[in-house]
Amino acid sequence: GSDPPERCFAAPIPRAPSFEKPRLTVPLCCAIPLPMLKIENISYAVAGRPLLEEATAVIPEGHKVGIVGRNGTGKTTLFRLIRGELALEGGQITLPSRARIGGVAQEVPGNEVSLIDTVLAADTERAALLAEAETASDPARIADVQTRLSDIDAWGAEARAATILRGLGFTPEEQLMPCSAFSGGWRMRVALAAVLFSAPDLLLLDEPTNYLDLEGALWLESYLAKYPHTVLVISHDRGLLNRAVGAILHLEDRKLTLYQGGYDRFAETRAARLAVAEAELRKQDARRAHLQSFVDRFRYKASKAKQAQSRLKMIEKMKVITTPQEAALRAFSFPEPEELSPPIINLESASVGYGEKPVLGQMTLRIDQDDRIALLGRNGEGKSTLSKLLAGKLDPMGGRVTRATKLRVGFFAQHQVEELHLDETPIDHVRRLRPAEPIAKLRARLGGFGIGAEQAETEVGRLSGGQKARLSLMLATIDAPHLLILDEPTNHLDIESREALVEALTAYSGAVILVSHDMHLLSLVADRLWLVKDGRVKPYEDDLETYRQMLVSPEKSSRPKSDKAKAAAKPKRPSRDALLALRAEVRKCESRVEKLQEMSEKLATKLADPALYDEDRVDEAAVWQRKYSEVCDGLERAEALWMRALEKLEAAEA
């Protein structure tokens, strides 16, 4: 009888994430990687529909794992099973004794407590010790309390909490404001800050970027990559799944499969596995057809009856080969607008804002029908305000805005999904806009956005988040707009649906304005970047990766030195031979790191095998764990050498 896992909903890292030179994503923890989470042959069904059947996975301690799978396969249910909120129908889930589990269960209440105090309260031990320090009278107990407060760095907690809140988009002034001053989406950010601040041993995050902007999503990526404990994150954000995790846990066909590496590597590995399975299936089908043909011809012929029966038994004994369910690419069908003469919108020294105060000014911009523009800028700089001006929802306060005479604009924002009529069906929503159209045409419109016949007659309140987003997208584009403005269109869409959206926007003949935290979507769709900053909107001449680096490494964008300081700091350039020697050393170190990384990944795969932890294989598991620890030690030393070699080379080439 071990103690049950302690469950919490909050989490901090001792210091804010720092960003160093690019390095390989490898586990640097050199302690023996004991399992943090063992999922053994679990089964669970909802309303008679099985979501999990004898599913198994082992997550070693300290690993960062992304959980992927189509919407509706049971990813959130898996989290609830891990937390013990649902009872398993079979199998078991094992966690270390007293392991703390943290996750964002719901938004922070809209009370009068400040944001910073709400986050600080998530560390319940610190709060209890501080309260006790105020009332304790026993000298020995006072000493114990003060020692423990020092051990957990209680006095630096406020700075850590402020760093997390700032990373998620809250200014120092906003951190002192009450939670009631913020909307539900912003209070979800506070809840996320609280769970990160309390640093649970197992952090469970379900689509954490859905309520973050691009800047917050990039900050979270770097924070999770450096988080000192185990992380499981459900996400459809390819950037996060490539940069913040080291393994992918795929939920498909009611089974769990663990893949080493980020999402791109998972996709390649799975594609290869699918190709092999499909080839084997084709061979088996051909073999079965050949045997069945013989049986059909000769089973009733006396001289061939035995051979026919023998082949019939062979067919029955053939092991069934199945290929994993492939998500059908649920395409979006945007109606095509007629072509207008350029430009479709022209801004000349325009300004826009609310009341008498402009948010953006001196905007001289042009939009043509073939433009694909991504709006960049930190939250609160005015991206939504500009979107509303372009959509005609706000009038200019100054300057001039000229629009094409027949211009139609489609506008999609997350709040529109929330404003759908929950007690009506998708058919009702479309009929309101097209009352004269026959029901078959209305169904066809919905079908073009992946909303099937059954879903079309289902109340919106019972649809998934992805289905609601599809409905809102269809309503926004029903008039074949010449300009489509999309504000966070990928929230609640799974990866297959996001890829379908990319294809639809690429084929679309109208202009597109995008605001999104999904770097993958922006990189594939946008061909122009506008930066909204300091009350201005200007073309951004660099690429998205440069913008990402600027956000995650602001210290590298510090003010340039004066010419005199540059000249004084500039060292003597080394000889060509010295540079060649330094480059050779970098290549040698990099090769050593890659070899050790490959060994580390192979050992991690071995250690992830549940069978290795059976009672009769304890000694074997200990041997593999010792080898893994040795490789980790070597890898850390090799990385340190590689970093030093890179620094020497960069200093020489500067």
Side-chain angles (χ1 to χ4, degrees), residues 97-399:
S97 174
R98 303 187 66 81
R100 297 183 306 128
I101 304 176
V104 184
Q106 57 188 8
E107 70 183 42
V108 167
N111 53 33
E112 297 307 305
V113 180
S114 70
L115 305 191
I116 190 73
D117 287 338
T118 299
V119 173
L120 289 171
D123 188 343
T124 53
E125 181 187 12
R126 173 183 176 276
L129 288 170
L130 288 174
E132 186 176 357
E134 295 289 330
T135 58
S137 57
D138 178 47
R141 181 55 187 161
I142 292 174
D144 289 342
V145 168
Q146 293 300 324
T147 299
R148 182 56 183 160
L149 284 170
S150 178
D151 289 343
I152 64 175
D153 191 20
W155 315 119
E158 188 164 341
R160 297 198 307 274
T163 297
I164 293 171
L165 283 167
R166 188 167 60 251
L168 293 175
F170 295 99
T171 64
E173 294 75 20
E174 289 172 336
Q175 294 175 25
L176 302 177
M177 294 169 62
C179 293
S180 59
F182 297 89
S183 65
W186 283 97
R187 293 205 296 271
M188 285 299 296
R189 295 194 189 199
V190 179
L192 176 59
V195 80
L196 294 176
F197 176 74
S198 68
D201 304 301
L202 176 59
L203 176 60
L204 306 179
L205 296 178
D206 191 346
E207 290 287 3
T209 59
N210 270 3
Y211 35 85
L212 298 180
D213 54 16
L214 176 59
E215 291 71 24
L218 292 175
W219 180 89
L220 181 64
E221 279 181 19
S222 90
Y223 197 88
L224 293 181
K226 295 176 181 296
Y227 187 72
H229 306 304
T230 308
V231 177
L232 296 184
V233 54
I234 297 171
S235 181
H236 299 301
D237 188 324
R238 291 180 69 136
L240 184 146
L241 293 173
N242 277 320
R243 291 187 287 264
V245 305
I248 298 293
L249 186 63
H250 189 207
L251 175 52
E252 182 182 48
D253 290 336
R254 300 174 295 282
K255 303 292 184 186
L256 292 168
T257 307
L258 187 67
Y259 295 80
Q260 294 301 316
Y263 185 84
D264 287 348
R265 182 172 171 187
F266 150 75
E268 292 172 4
T269 305
R270 181 166 174 269
R273 187 167 66 91
L274 281 171
V276 170
E278 288 169 356
E280 290 296 322
L281 181 60
R282 285 194 297 270
K283 289 181 184 178
Q284 188 184 75
D285 287 344
R287 174 70 172 156
R288 182 182 284 110
H290 178 73
L291 293 172
Q292 188 65 49
S293 175
F294 185 93
V295 170
D296 293 341
R297 287 168 57 200
F298 299 115
R299 68 188 306 174
Y300 300 113
K301 190 172 183 179
S303 61
K304 298 285 187 179
K306 286 186 177 181
Q307 293 93 325
Q309 286 300 317
S310 173
R311 284 162 174 75
L312 194 58
K313 289 179 180 178
M314 289 173 65
I315 293 174
E316 292 171 353
K317 290 180 179 179
M318 288 177 73
K319 183 180 179 180
V320 177
I321 297 175
T322 59
T323 58
Q325 289 180 358
E326 277 293 84
L329 196 61
R330 305 171 185 174
F332 294 88
S333 301
F334 293 151
E336 291 296 317
E338 71 277 14
E339 188 172 350
L340 299 179
S341 299
I344 57 174
I345 296 183
N346 196 53
L347 280 67
E348 299 176 69
S349 301
S351 60
V352 64
Y354 306 92
E356 298 181 358
K357 184 179 180 181
V359 175
L360 300 170
Q362 296 301 311
M363 293 183 291
T364 299
L365 305 165
R366 169 187 173 131
I367 300 175
D368 295 334
Q369 195 166 333
D370 60 352
D371 278 334
R372 303 285 191 276
I373 301 168
L375 300 185
L376 308 178
R378 295 185 181 278
N379 190 74
E381 291 282 2
K383 298 190 297 293
S384 295
T385 303
L386 175 59
S387 297
K388 291 175 183 176
L389 173 67
L390 297 176
K393 296 179 180 295
L394 278 178
D395 293 326
M397 299 175 66

Side-chain angles (χ1 to χ4, degrees), residues 23 28 589 593 634-647:
R23 56 194 294 174
L28 296 181
C589 291
V593 167
L635 183 56
E636 188 167 15
R637 289 193 297 271
E639 278 205 324
L641 291 172
W642 184 31
M643 289 297 105
R644 283 199 290 271
L646 274 172
E647 288 167 356

Side-chain angles (χ1 to χ4, degrees), residues 420-437:
L420 293 171
H421 301 277
L422 301 183
D423 58 344
E424 296 184 2
T425 67
I427 285 286
D428 295 331
H429 283 77
V430 188
R431 186 183 287 120
R432 186 179 292 110
L433 298 178
R434 292 291 186 274
E437 284 188 359

Side-chain angles (χ1 to χ4, degrees), residues 462-538:
R462 295 170 55 195
L463 297 179
S464 69
Q467 291 162 349
K468 292 175 185 174
R470 286 173 170 274
L471 174 58
S472 289
L473 272 171
M474 194 231 49
L475 297 175
T477 59
I478 194 169
D479 290 324
H482 304 94
L483 171 62
L484 181 57
I485 301 173
L486 301 177
D487 190 348
E488 297 294 355
T490 59
N491 284 359
H492 305 298
L493 294 182
D494 57 26
I495 290 178
E496 290 81 10
S497 296
R498 293 181 185 210
E499 296 298 332
L501 181 60
V502 168
E503 289 196 10
L505 290 175
T506 302
Y508 178 57
S509 62
V512 177
I513 303 289
L514 269 175
V515 178
S516 178
H517 66 261
D518 189 331
M519 288 279 289
H520 182 69
L521 174 73
L522 295 180
S523 65
L524 291 178
V525 174
D527 52 25
R528 295 178 64 192
L529 305 175
W530 285 357
L531 180 60
V532 184
K533 185 178 180 181
D534 300 330
R536 298 288 186 270
V537 182
K538 297 180 180 179

Side-chain angles (χ1 to χ4, degrees), residues 44-66:
Y44 187 79
V46 175
R49 181 173 71 92
L51 291 179
L52 296 157
E53 286 184 340
E54 297 186 352
T56 295
V58 175
I59 308 300
E61 186 175 348
H63 280 217
K64 316 293 192 304
V65 180

